Amino acid sequence: MEHSVERTYFIETVRADFPILNQEHHPGVPLIYLDNAASSQKPRSVIEAMDDYYRRYNANVHRGIHKLSEQATAAYEGARVKIRKFINASSKREIIFTRGTTEGINLVAQTWGRANLKPGDVVLSTVMEHHSNIVPWQILAAEKEFVIKYIPLREDGTLDMDVYTRLLNEGGVKLVTVMHVSNVLGTINPVAEIARQAHAAGALILVDGAQSTPHMPVDVQALDADFFVFSGHKMLGPTGSGVLYGKRALLEAMPPWMGGGDMIASVRLEGSTWNELPYKFEAGTPSIAEAIGLGYAIDYLAEIGMETIQAHEHTLTEYVLERLSEVPDLKVYGPDADRKGAVAAFTFAGIHPHDVAQMLDAEGIAVRAGHHCAMPLHDYLGLAASTRASFYLYNRLSEVDSLIEALYKARKAFYR
Ligand code: PMP
């Protein structure tokens, strides 16, 4: 098979930037890391940028007038500017640092949601969502008594857009909250079209970009997302970093969530007033090294180019689906490669997904098994769990071959 990888970028050059990849998983067995949907590995530039911050200019931001604090503030705010450009927000005031996707969604639920959702209102979501886009709404619904409805799937693992239109037409929808790319099925949802219909029905849209932002170009204005959230750790950045993007007028109108230092304009014992955006939503000392690290992760991704990364991953997706389809007794979930990110969740008839993952681990292959924080989706598919291999810019086509070989070996061991 021709490896088109080499036509996009030199994979070995990229791999050399990731120290963790160059190791043995067990003595004599090289590591094959296929758990990227859970978290990605970090290039040297990100690790060194965080190290450099702690070694040379560690200080709190926005507060001191000393040189170190000014340097830290410049780096922290510099990361915000990089993020603005990366997702094409119109202003850096629309970029709120969070600890990740989960925090971003909870922030929107507890501010916009708490202020705007009333008994009888409808929040429209999908059955494929990650728990982080279900539970915050359930918690708030228990208090505010709005209704949550879920868009079902078609047989091929894509959203049933006819039902979506119908649910919108039933009325009362204030918010559509939907993932951009599924962390299990890999389905790429038609977010721009979902947003168009939501807006026509007078609803806002929140997009969970945890699995899209690391893997494809994202333009929040082209998508016309009202809120867009993602996590740094899935896109070469550190844990504890993430972003909530929101349209400025919405963010301006929203009350703050957490109270404390930095988010205030003035504090009197009688009451307080709020800082301007984005600081209104960044209470307390933020994750400074993490934000700086995320900025460097974005530099790394942008240098290669998101279209290029997407093309590489598409090649991997096509190849892994083709090879998995050859394996007897194995079923892959989700649509075909043209409508899917580089995620392959599968089950093996008669073998528990955890046993599959354990046998792959013995071959040096790191995958995830379980419900992948999508229990409702697994219920919907009639599964307790699945095994998931997920890919990123540093994965080789030959690693797909190793995966397939290891699956045949697991099958032989179990069906013996
Ligand atoms: N949404 C999706 C689609 C995800 O894949 C994840 C991470 N598995 C999350 C949300 C939650 O992200 P985090 O744990 O970084 O907050």
Side-chain angles (χ1 to χ4, degrees):
M1 151 147 201
E2 183 181 293
H3 287 205
S4 72
V5 173
E6 271 67 34
R7 278 190 270 128
T8 54
Y9 52 85
F10 289 106
I11 195 85
E12 298 310 322
T13 313
V14 165
R15 289 179 66 86
D17 290 332
F18 292 79
I20 207 170
L21 296 178
N22 183 28
Q23 65 172 294
E24 291 184 339
H25 197 50
H26 310 294
V29 181
L31 168 68
I32 296 179
Y33 186 75
L34 302 182
D35 195 16
N36 294 284
S39 202
S40 71
Q41 300 303 346
K42 323 301 173 199
R44 197 173 281 110
S45 60
V46 168
I47 298 166
E48 287 175 357
M50 295 175 74
D51 186 73
D52 187 47
Y53 162 72
Y54 283 122
R55 282 178 192 276
R56 285 200 311 111
Y57 61 102
N58 171 55
N60 214 327
V61 291
H62 302 147
R63 289 167 203 186
I65 45 167
H66 57 84
K67 187 174 159 209
L68 291 190
S69 175
E70 282 173 3
Q71 270 181 296
T73 304
Y76 179 73
E77 291 302 325
R80 198 189 308 274
V81 171
K82 291 176 188 179
I83 293 160
R84 184 210 69 73
K85 186 161 175 241
F86 191 68
I87 62 168
N88 193 34
S90 56
S91 160
K92 74 179 188 113
R93 295 193 183 279
E94 297 178 321
I95 306 297
I96 318 286
F97 281 119
T98 65
R99 285 189 300 120
T101 304
T102 303
E103 186 173 299
I105 297 170
N106 278 275
L107 194 160
V108 175
Q110 292 299 325
T111 59
W112 180 86
R114 180 171 288 284
N116 290 284
L117 295 169
K118 301 181 303 298
D121 284 345
V122 177
V123 168
L124 205 50
S125 191
T126 83
V127 300
M128 65 167 77
E129 296 308 308
H130 188 277
H131 296 164
S132 66
N133 200 18
I134 295 175
V135 182
W137 304 110
Q138 290 176 333
I139 290 171
L140 190 64
E143 191 185 318
K144 295 284 179 184
E145 296 176 9
F146 57 86
V147 179
I148 311 172
K149 294 182 183 174
Y150 299 96
I151 307 164
L153 308 185
R154 297 195 198 98
E155 194 62 30
D156 63 0
T158 59
L159 287 179
D160 192 327
M161 292 294 283
D162 295 335
V163 178
Y164 171 53
T165 307
R166 206 180 69 222
L167 289 170
L168 277 178
N169 288 339
E170 284 174 9
V173 180
K174 291 283 159 53
L175 177 74
V176 177
T177 186
V178 55
M179 65 202 327
H180 198 172
V181 173
S182 164
N183 62 318
V184 178
L185 303 170
T187 313
I188 302 169
N189 288 321
V191 166
E193 173 59 19
I194 294 169
R196 194 190 63 73
Q197 291 194 33
H199 291 147
L204 298 182
I205 180 166
L206 183 155
V207 180
D208 168 358
Q211 298 291 347
S212 62
T213 319
H215 303 285
M216 60 175 69
V218 163
D219 181 332
V220 290
Q221 294 189 72
L223 294 174
D224 204 11
D226 296 296
F227 301 108
F228 190 97
V229 290
F230 55 96
S231 300
H233 70 95
K234 293 181 197 286
M235 51 190 289
L236 312 185
T239 53
S241 68
V243 172
L244 160 65
Y245 157 83
K247 285 183 183 166
R248 187 166 177 173
L250 289 167
L251 294 175
E252 296 279 11
M254 278 154 54
W257 181 25
M258 287 194 279
D262 233 23
M263 53 74 71
I264 48 84
S266 74
V267 178
R268 300 274 178 284
L269 295 179
E270 298 72 30
S272 304
T273 56
W274 315 137
N275 203 344
E276 59 187 4
L277 292 175
Y279 312 112
K280 181 170 80 174
F281 295 108
E282 293 181 5
T285 301
S287 301
I288 303 166
E290 287 74 7
I292 294 169
L294 175 56
Y296 275 78
I298 284 176
D299 288 343
Y300 192 93
L301 292 170
E303 173 72 24
I304 295 175
M306 293 311 293
E307 282 90 359
T308 308
I309 291 168
Q310 188 177 26
H312 170 66
E313 291 186 26
H314 185 68
T315 306
L316 284 165
T317 308
E318 281 186 322
Y319 189 50
V320 75
L321 292 187
E322 179 193 318
R323 294 294 322 268
L324 285 171
S325 74
E326 296 163 6
V327 183
D329 308 309
L330 187 145
K331 181 171 164 53
V332 186
Y333 299 87
D336 56 37
D338 286 343
R339 291 170 300 166
K340 188 176 168 89
V343 178
F346 56 88
T347 51
F348 236 146
I351 316 181
H352 194 282
H354 284 101
D355 292 333
V356 177
Q358 215 149 40
M359 293 174 93
L360 293 179
D361 184 65
E363 302 298 316
I365 304 173
V367 297
R368 184 163 170 188
H371 51 62
H372 318 301
C373 296
M375 281 175 89
L377 173 63
H378 281 77
D379 284 347
Y380 193 84
L381 298 171
L383 299 173
S386 59
T387 308
R388 181 184 71 185
S390 53
F391 300 81
Y392 208 3
L393 74 168
Y394 39 63
N395 287 120
R396 306 169 170 127
L397 285 170
S398 61
E399 292 177 322
V400 172
D401 295 329
S402 304
L403 170 71
I404 302 298
E405 228 172 89
L407 286 171
Y408 272 108
K409 201 167 160 186
R411 184 173 177 276
K412 211 163 150 193
F414 257 86
Y415 292 151
R416 179 171 54 201

